[in-house]
Each structure stands twice: as C-alpha cells, then as structure tokens.
Amino acid sequence: MKKASEFPKIVHDVIEQAIIDVHFGSLTLIVQDARVVQIERTEKILLTAKGGNSTGSKKSAEGLKIVRSKILSEIAGLQYGQVLIKIQDGKIVQLEKTEKRRFPEVEGLYGDGI
C-alpha cells in the first residue's frame, strides 16, 4: 500500500487544480495497480435568473489542505477502484470510495471466476 507522500507531486497538483476549477459537479479519480490513471470531471453550470452563470465561492487554502490529505489517504489505500469527490458551491461536500478486489486464484465449478 502506498502512503499519500509516495504519490508524484504532479498527481497532487492535478487533483488540487481540478478541485479548484470545479464549482458545481464532481471529480472521479480512477485507480489501477495503486496508481491514479484517470481523472473524470463533470461540471454543472447553473444559470441565474439574471442571465449570468453562478461560479461558486472561492475555496480556502487551509480547507483544501485538509481535504487534500483525506483524498490522498483514500487513494493510497486503493489497489483498484475509484474515489468520487462531489463539489457544491465551490466546497467539497462528499467523498465516495469504491474498491474493487481481484481474486485470480479463485475458480468456479467450470473454471470461471467467482
């Protein structure tokens, strides 16, 4: 298992920048072989009654630091899976972690998997 400090700095920077850029929506971090291999970004653009769009509020540097360490610790514990980060009004409101486990040594009655 990797520790959060073992991830390359570029992974830290890309995740942090993606969080800063999304005001309403979500980020999905895809992990394979204990490495972040893909980031999916879904952003919602809310239109206000005045015809403009809502860009959300600014995130605090201290808040980002706390959440960043939590996100990296969730990723560090994954071999295969994903971490979903939900963002509303510029604030991270929820983290979801989905873990996949592989059992290559387990075979069914007819030689197939579980």
Side-chain angles (χ1 to χ4, degrees):
M1 248 188 252
K2 286 188 175 188
K3 295 179 182 177
S5 60
E6 293 178 2
F7 285 100
K9 184 170 179 354
I10 185 110
V11 173
H12 294 244
D13 294 343
V14 169
I15 292 170
E16 192 168 309
Q17 188 59 48
I19 290 170
I20 290 169
D21 291 344
V22 174
H23 299 290
F24 290 93
S26 63
L27 296 171
T28 303
L29 311 173
I30 310 296
V31 178
Q32 292 179 0
D33 295 322
R35 293 184 7 216
V36 177
V37 296
Q38 181 175 331
I39 298 176
E40 297 175 2
R41 177 175 146 173
T42 304
E43 188 165 6
K44 299 175 184 177
I45 299 172
L46 302 177
L47 301 176
T48 63
K50 297 178 183 177
N53 62 355
S54 176
T55 58
S57 61
K58 297 286 182 193
K59 298 166 186 74
S60 72
E62 186 176 322
L64 262 178
K65 184 178 179 182
I66 293 168
V67 173
R68 181 176 117 181
S69 67
K70 179 64 177 164
I71 291 168
L72 291 174
S73 70
E74 292 294 331
I75 295 170
L78 277 178
Q79 185 71 21
Y80 297 95
Q82 64 185 23
V83 174
L84 176 70
I85 306 163
K86 292 192 178 186
I87 302 169
Q88 292 179 358
D89 198 21
K91 298 176 186 163
I92 296 173
V93 296
Q94 184 173 330
L95 286 177
E96 295 178 17
K97 178 179 168 180
T98 304
E99 185 173 2
K100 296 179 181 181
R101 297 194 181 211
R102 307 241 168 132
F103 302 102
E105 66 279 351
V106 177
E107 289 188 16
L109 184 61
Y110 302 104
D112 53 350
I114 294 177

